[in-house]
Amino acid sequence: MNATLRIPFETLHTFGQMNVHLTHELQNVMATISETSGLLEDLAAFRTSGGGVDPARLEKLLRRIGEEAGRGQRLVSRINSLAHSTDAPAIRLDLGRVVRFMAEVSSCFPKSRTIRLDICDRCVALDAAPYTVQQLLYGCLQAAFRGLAPDQEVALSLRMEGNICVLRLSGLAKLAAADQEEPFPDRPTALAAEALDATLGLDRDAGILTLHLQCVTGGD
Amino acid sequence: MNATLRIPFETLHTFGQMNVHLTHELQNVMATISETSGLLEDLAAFRTSGGGVDPARLEKLLRRIGEEAGRGQRLVSRINSLAHSTDAPAIRLDLGRVVRFMAEVSSCFPKSRTIRLDICDRCVALDAAPYTVQQLLYGCLQAAFRGLAPDQEVALSLRMEGNICVLRLSGLAKLAAADQEEPFPDRPTALAAEALDATLGLDRDAGILTLHLQCVTGGD
């Protein structure tokens, strides 16, 4: 307890970045709710002063508020889960679950993205810092989304090879030479990979990114 | 750029804790909006099938949604500002502004608290990591709130003495002996104080907590 565990600043930075993106989405949600309820209040006030609220319009606007509130609840729940990932410096993780969560978190930025998941059923356990695993996955997914057309989707598979867990992202865009110059992994991702003793590979021509990670249990 | 700046795990943990508290508040906001709009949808559906929506009730429920949306926007904006505090490892800060922000962030948990602010007008500048300053202030405010009755308020003053900035929290509860055993500062706060070369003092009998911090500019 006396020894202070130190983590790279980049871990906190990545954590902040994820929250920045999620709160931007949430700001849009709150603005829509606020505007829609304001519009309804105007309509209701107009009605009491002799006008009328079209029932179909009323229901449509209320449905919009309900839908946005649902979207807001999902976003808040993600920010809350991210926040709880800092509860302890290391725990036993269900990697499949963390991958699902990060795919969910990452799919809304930089813009809405589709990720097709194929995650092996067997529980893949890992003793690690949840925030570091999240940082690594976030870095991989952000790299996978680079240069992707809006209609393109990325496929993510998670498989065990002995006690090595192999995460594979395929369907990545073939980037122009200028874009290819951006190094992969970037510094936060490289630091997370180093901390987890993970191996990263990116084949831009084939459009495939791989991540090898030593796990506690496994074997297909 | 090659040297990796390392920060204590506790910094990330405190950051996470603040987000946990803020998202709990936000979950309540979203739940209220969702329930109220659901109730309105039911009322509207009833109306179209022959019933009637009482205009006063309609307006009351819409006002509630609008108010909660406003509260939600303020909470989201705080989470967003916290997230942006991880943008850079050190910047020139306006300490008065950071204190105001942290008073705002901290006043909603553990439960709603009143903090009377008295912050000197002169810009108090500090070259430091915003998240570390926030962590220190958060730790002080949490300690100041301990054992406080719901109707008690804490007074916070910020003054310059030469180029030392003195933050003083007064009106703290006189805790029972058992409660006094909890050490102050706790570990995250002590680490933040150490990183900022700040001096902390707590006089539980007088109900006063002080923080001395070296600043870049100042002098009353």
Side-chain angles (χ1 to χ4, degrees), chain B residues 96-108:
Chain B
R97 207 171 144 178
V98 183
V99 168
R100 272 181 218 282
F101 174 62
M102 284 314 293
E104 214 177 80
V105 166
S106 303
S107 64
C108 62

Side-chain angles (χ1 to χ4, degrees), chain A residues 1-13 15-17 19-20 23-24 26-27 29-31 33-34 37 40-41 44-45 47-48 53 55 58-59 62-63 65-66 68-69 72-73 76-77 79-80 83-84 86-89 131 187 191, chain B residues 1-13 15-17 19-20 23-24 26-27 29-31 33-34 37 40-41 44-45 47-48 53 55 58-59 62-63 65-66 68-69 72-73 76-77 79-80 83-84 86-89 131 187 191:
Chain A
M1 185 58 195
N2 280 331
T4 301
L5 172 70
R6 290 191 176 263
I7 57 172
F9 162 71
E10 282 80 355
T11 303
L12 179 70
H13 177 67
F15 189 79
Q17 284 298 296
N19 278 307
V20 164
T23 49
H24 278 177
L26 206 44
Q27 275 163 340
V29 166
M30 299 313 296
I33 292 174
S34 183
S37 78
L40 273 169
E41 277 193 78
R47 177 172 175 274
T48 55
V53 189
L58 177 67
E59 279 183 74
L62 287 173
R63 206 163 41 240
I65 292 179
E68 287 296 305
Q73 282 174 316
V76 175
S77 152
I79 300 177
N80 183 265
H84 275 298
T86 69
D87 286 349
Y131 48 85
R187 191 171 164 76
L191 286 167
Chain B
M1 185 57 194
N2 280 330
T4 300
L5 172 69
R6 289 189 176 262
I7 57 172
F9 162 71
E10 281 81 354
T11 304
L12 179 68
H13 177 67
F15 189 81
Q17 283 297 296
N19 278 307
V20 164
T23 48
H24 279 178
L26 207 43
Q27 274 162 341
V29 166
M30 299 313 296
I33 292 174
S34 183
S37 78
L40 273 169
E41 277 193 78
R47 178 172 173 273
T48 55
V53 188
L58 177 67
E59 279 183 74
L62 286 172
R63 204 163 41 239
I65 292 179
E68 288 296 305
Q73 282 174 316
V76 175
S77 150
I79 301 177
N80 182 264
H84 275 298
T86 68
D87 285 350
Y131 47 86
R187 194 174 161 76
L191 287 166

Side-chain angles (χ1 to χ4, degrees), chain A residues 139-208:
Chain A
C140 291
L141 285 162
Q142 292 300 300
F145 292 152
R146 286 195 63 225
L148 216 62
D151 59 337
Q152 276 180 293
E153 63 173 29
V154 164
L156 183 160
S157 76
L158 190 66
R159 287 277 170 275
M160 290 303 294
E161 290 178 9
N163 62 345
I164 301 287
C165 180
V166 184
L167 183 141
R168 192 182 148 101
L169 285 158
S170 54
L172 280 54
K174 290 178 185 28
L175 298 176
D179 284 332
Q180 289 200 28
E181 279 165 23
E182 187 154 322
F184 178 83
D186 62 9
R187 191 171 164 76
T189 311
L191 286 167
E194 192 189 318
L196 296 165
D197 212 4
T199 314
L200 289 164
L202 176 62
D203 183 338
R204 287 205 198 269
D205 288 324
I208 292 172

Side-chain angles (χ1 to χ4, degrees), chain B residues 68-156:
Chain B
E68 288 296 305
R71 200 158 82 88
Q73 282 174 316
R74 287 190 294 278
L75 286 165
V76 175
S77 150
R78 285 173 200 165
I79 301 177
N80 182 264
S81 296
L82 273 182
H84 275 298
S85 73
T86 68
D87 285 350
I91 54 169
R92 178 149 296 188
L93 293 170
D94 174 345
L95 189 58
R97 207 171 144 178
V98 183
V99 168
R100 272 181 218 282
F101 174 62
M102 284 314 293
E104 214 177 80
V105 166
S106 303
S107 64
C108 62
F109 46 83
K111 36 200 153 185
S112 185
R113 292 297 180 201
T114 307
I115 312 175
R116 198 160 18 95
L117 296 179
D118 174 18
I119 295 179
C120 57
D121 287 335
R122 293 202 49 180
C123 168
V124 182
L126 186 68
D127 289 325
Y131 47 86
T132 306
V133 178
Q134 286 170 3
Q135 185 181 9
L136 178 60
L137 295 171
Y138 174 77
C140 290
L141 286 162
Q142 291 301 300
F145 293 152
R146 286 195 63 225
L148 217 61
D151 59 337
Q152 276 179 293
E153 64 173 30
V154 164
L156 184 160

